[in-house]
Amino acid sequence: MKLGFFFGAGAEVGYGLPSGGKFAIDLFRQDVSTHKKQLREELNSLPITSNYATSWLPEGYKTKSIHSFGKNEFTNLIESSIEYRKSEIIRRLSNFDAEADKAMKDLNIDKEVLHDLFKNVMEKDYGDELYAHAIKMNRLLADEIKLFSSEFFSALLDAIKSEHDTTDAQKYAAAFLQLLVGAHGQDLVKRLNQELFEEAPDDIPIFDDVSGMFRIEFSRAGLTALELLLDERRNFDPESDNLFELLAAISQQILENLFTTVLDYQSLIDNHFRYLYSPKTEWAKFTKMLVFLRATREYIVKQLEDAGELPDYGYYHDLSKVNDLGVEISAIGTANYNNLVESISNELGYEIPPVKHLNGGVNDYYNPYKNSVFSTDDANQIPADQIHVPFILTQSGLKPLTSVDMSRRYVGLFDDYKTSDAIVVIGYGFNIDDSHINGLFRQVIEEDQKDLYWISLETDGTADEQKRDLVRRLRISSAYRNNVTVVPVNPETREIAGVNWLEHISALIDGNEG
């Protein structure tokens, strides 16, 4: 049995590494002064009479200011997130108690301890009084707002009404309200702009001239959330006996968990990546993107180093079962940037083919001058006569995907999948900003009739519910629906009905072949 595998960020969460957009927030908190200094040294070392310097770089490049992303870019990031991920924001805020439960689990806060503490301080039971009927949002925005039915949000509001110091609670409650109004408001604005006139003649163009006049003032819609996210993360004691400190800690975790999944930094890359090709045109944006990519690579590498000794279990460890199950690993692709799967396979002694990093990796470097990708695990091997940037976060970097090196990765992985009996996808969400990867799966399913098995989490819904969502995300024709199988596993054990995910899939395929 030949299986091709594809891994996303979720496959590495169990190893203590950040998932998806988790590092996006921290990137804007980082001190990038060392990267600015390094870039200055590189610019000063370039031969000033070379064709590269005279034709590609702007005059005075050695002394021009070097810029980095700051509050303005993060404001735009939140604006884009509210605009394009509003449905997800509303969904998460509508399930606020589930978000609070997850945050408490992340912080190791005992829910019963919080309930007891709330009763002692507020002199009433947690969840006894809700604000569902006390607060009504304008029906133009929404008919039903579930946030005010939340036990945790109601507890926050109770805390704010008390005579204690509730500065932190007020900030977080305001942030959630701003996001709620911003997301619903964006929906209303969209409807107004698209349906300004219920009826109008098609052959009179002036009606088009007044459409699209309304917009949300996003600088206010996410202002409090922005300030809380950009401030250095506060360390709250999860064992504190201070109710208001615990409420603030949980709120902080909810906010970060929310933005981990909804931050839309595709727009950030879209707006800046192209300036890597034209430093003469926009030197500020050129240096911002360059410094950002270098800081991102450093953060990713540091996360792996700071993780210390990794657990001896996880999806990459599970691959060691392949020999016992008679499985041949025909291909491995990944949206992740590090080389963790390679190091674990070497440690455990199971063979894997070369891993194809479709979004680039920590060993990949990109030369925008030549539109070429250079791979090395020794930074000293990077050519010093031209500027290279780490090749990561390239969901929207279309030009690098046209380079011969990257084209070979995609075509090679696709060809390997075509020779596989099935494809197994783990920890990857098939999000819209990964459409360049999603198209690869869609084509191998529809044109080559390959079966795809998606390892998901049982906490995200039933297999049928998640399958409907997956078919929609992949845009698969209904005729190929049966080629997709969702395997919801326990997040901790990676098992379904007590059976390891890999053993389960192996048995499914054997049964189908039988």
Side-chain angles (χ1 to χ4, degrees):
M1 181 192 309
K2 296 175 67 175
L3 296 181
F5 293 87
F6 191 84
F7 296 102
E12 300 187 347
V13 173
Y15 292 107
L17 300 183
S19 63
K22 172 66 175 72
F23 56 76
I25 299 169
D26 286 339
L27 285 176
F28 283 87
R29 293 172 174 158
Q30 281 196 121
D31 178 5
V32 296
S33 56
T34 56
H35 298 289
K36 287 184 174 182
K37 182 180 178 182
Q38 180 189 2
L39 178 56
R40 175 69 68 201
E41 292 171 353
E42 288 181 37
L43 291 169
N44 287 335
S45 67
L46 293 174
I48 197 169
T49 56
S50 67
N51 186 57
Y52 177 81
T54 56
S55 66
W56 197 61
L57 296 175
E59 186 176 345
Y61 67 87
K62 291 194 175 189
T63 56
K64 277 183 172 292
S65 297
I66 294 175
H67 305 265
S68 60
F69 289 145
K71 189 172 182 177
N72 287 340
E73 283 77 22
F74 203 84
T75 301
N76 293 335
L77 200 58
I78 288 183
E79 174 178 340
S80 176
S81 300
I82 294 175
E83 186 172 1
Y84 293 106
R85 304 281 175 88
K86 57 182 178 293
S87 297
E88 178 65 6
I89 292 173
I90 292 171
R91 185 189 72 80
R92 299 281 291 274
L93 292 177
S94 297
N95 294 279
F96 204 69
D97 285 330
E99 296 294 325
D101 288 345
K102 184 180 185 308
M104 282 187 266
K105 184 178 179 181
D106 293 340
L107 297 170
N108 293 317
I109 293 176
D110 189 321
K111 193 173 181 179
E112 294 304 317
V113 170
L114 176 69
H115 290 187
D116 292 342
L117 195 56
F118 183 88
K119 185 173 183 178
N120 292 337
V121 175
M122 305 303 296
E123 298 181 347
K124 61 180 176 181
D125 287 331
Y126 179 94
D128 253 13
E129 296 181 13
L130 306 179
Y131 284 81
H133 297 301
I135 304 173
K136 295 288 185 183
M137 186 173 279
N138 192 307
R139 290 187 179 277
L140 285 174
L141 289 175
D143 289 330
E144 181 185 14
I145 300 295
K146 296 181 179 179
L147 177 64
F148 306 126
S149 301
S150 158
E151 293 182 351
F152 183 79
F153 194 77
S154 295
L156 262 185
L157 297 181
D158 281 337
I160 291 171
K161 289 197 308 181
S162 72
E163 297 179 355
H164 298 80
D165 180 8
T166 60
T167 304
D168 289 331
Q170 290 184 48
K171 287 181 179 178
Y172 285 107
F176 295 129
L177 280 178
Q178 286 178 6
L179 291 173
L180 179 75
V181 173
H184 280 292
Q186 173 60 24
D187 232 9
L188 174 62
V189 165
K190 180 182 175 183
R191 293 199 308 272
L192 279 173
N193 286 330
Q194 292 179 351
E195 304 166 12
L196 194 56
F197 298 97
E198 292 185 359
E199 293 183 19
D202 293 333
D203 55 353
I204 303 179
I206 60 170
F207 293 99
D208 294 329
D209 296 338
V210 293
S211 63
M213 293 178 63
F214 300 98
R215 71 184 303 271
I216 294 286
E217 189 178 344
F218 284 105
S219 59
R220 293 190 63 192
L223 183 62
T224 304
L226 170 69
E227 293 171 347
L228 291 170
L229 287 169
L230 283 186
D231 286 344
E232 185 174 349
R233 194 180 200 279
R234 289 185 56 183
N235 292 319
F236 294 101
D237 181 4
E239 297 181 359
S240 171
D241 57 0
N242 185 314
L243 172 65
F244 307 100
E245 185 172 324
L246 284 184
L247 290 173
I250 297 166
S251 298
Q252 175 179 260
Q253 191 66 41
I254 292 173
L255 190 64
E256 292 203 2
N257 287 348
L258 175 65
F259 273 97
T260 291
T261 55
V262 303
L263 268 184
D264 176 39
Y265 46 87
Q266 177 180 349
S267 62
L268 181 77
I269 300 170
D270 281 342
N271 291 336
H272 291 84
F273 200 95
R274 66 181 183 273
Y275 293 106
L276 284 177
Y277 307 106
S278 54
K280 277 188 175 181
T281 306
E282 276 282 0
W283 177 255
K285 291 182 178 178
F286 170 79
T287 55
K288 282 181 179 182
M289 194 63 194
L290 199 153
V291 170
F292 176 72
L293 289 173
R294 290 186 173 180
T296 301
R297 182 190 180 279
E298 180 187 58
Y299 178 82
I300 293 170
V301 172
K302 192 171 184 295
Q303 283 292 311
L304 192 55
E305 292 174 350
D306 290 349
E309 187 175 347
L310 297 174
D312 57 359
Y313 54 86
Y315 287 103
Y316 298 152
H317 285 81
D318 293 338
L319 288 183
S320 63
K321 302 175 184 288
V322 291
N323 293 333
D324 294 336
L325 295 172
V327 171
E328 176 188 344
I329 302 176
S330 56
I332 292 184
T334 183
N336 299 325
Y337 310 116
N338 59 64
N339 303 310
L340 189 57
V341 63
E342 292 99 324
S343 61
I344 290 177
S345 66
N346 289 334
E347 176 188 337
L348 299 183
Y350 64 86
E351 292 186 8
I352 61 172
V355 177
K356 294 181 172 63
H357 293 259
L358 298 194
N359 280 341
V362 293
N363 290 338
D364 290 330
Y365 297 88
Y366 179 63
N367 183 340
Y369 180 64
K370 293 186 174 181
N371 190 33
S372 60
V373 177
F374 177 78
S375 299
T376 179
D377 57 2
D378 183 0
N380 294 321
Q381 296 299 317
I382 303 172
D385 59 337
Q386 295 178 0
I387 299 294
H388 286 70
V389 297
F391 183 54
I392 45 182
L393 294 178
T394 56
Q395 292 97 326
S396 302
L398 297 181
K399 286 188 178 180
L401 299 183
T402 64
S403 68
V404 173
D405 311 87
M406 288 306 296
S407 296
R408 282 178 176 155
R409 289 189 193 182
Y410 279 82
V411 174
L413 183 62
F414 179 76
D415 288 342
D416 290 341
Y417 282 161
K418 289 174 66 173
T419 65
S420 305
D421 294 312
I423 304 156
V424 183
V425 180
I426 305 162
Y428 175 73
F430 301 92
N431 295 319
I432 192 170
D433 53 359
D434 280 317
S435 56
H436 58 299
I437 298 176
N438 298 344
L440 183 153
F441 293 121
R442 181 169 56 252
Q443 188 165 343
V444 80
I445 290 171
E446 293 188 344
E447 295 188 8
D448 296 278
Q449 285 80 56
K450 295 297 178 182
D451 292 326
L452 184 143
Y453 294 85
W454 185 35
I455 308 302
S456 63
L457 301 179
E458 63 184 13
T459 52
D460 291 337
T462 67
D464 287 339
E465 290 170 343
Q466 295 191 60
K467 180 173 180 175
R468 282 194 295 272
D469 186 46
L470 176 57
V471 169
R472 177 183 58 80
R473 291 191 187 194
L474 276 179
R475 302 170 188 174
I476 296 174
S477 303
S478 57
Y480 302 99
R481 183 182 176 85
N482 291 335
N483 290 80
V484 174
T485 301
V486 175
V487 181
V489 301
N490 180 287
E492 306 296 331
T493 64
R494 306 175 309 287
E495 294 179 343
I496 177 170
V499 179
N500 177 267
W501 63 273
L502 186 55
E503 295 175 12
H504 178 78
I505 289 175
S506 178
L508 282 179
I509 296 175
D510 282 340
N512 291 337
E513 291 177 349

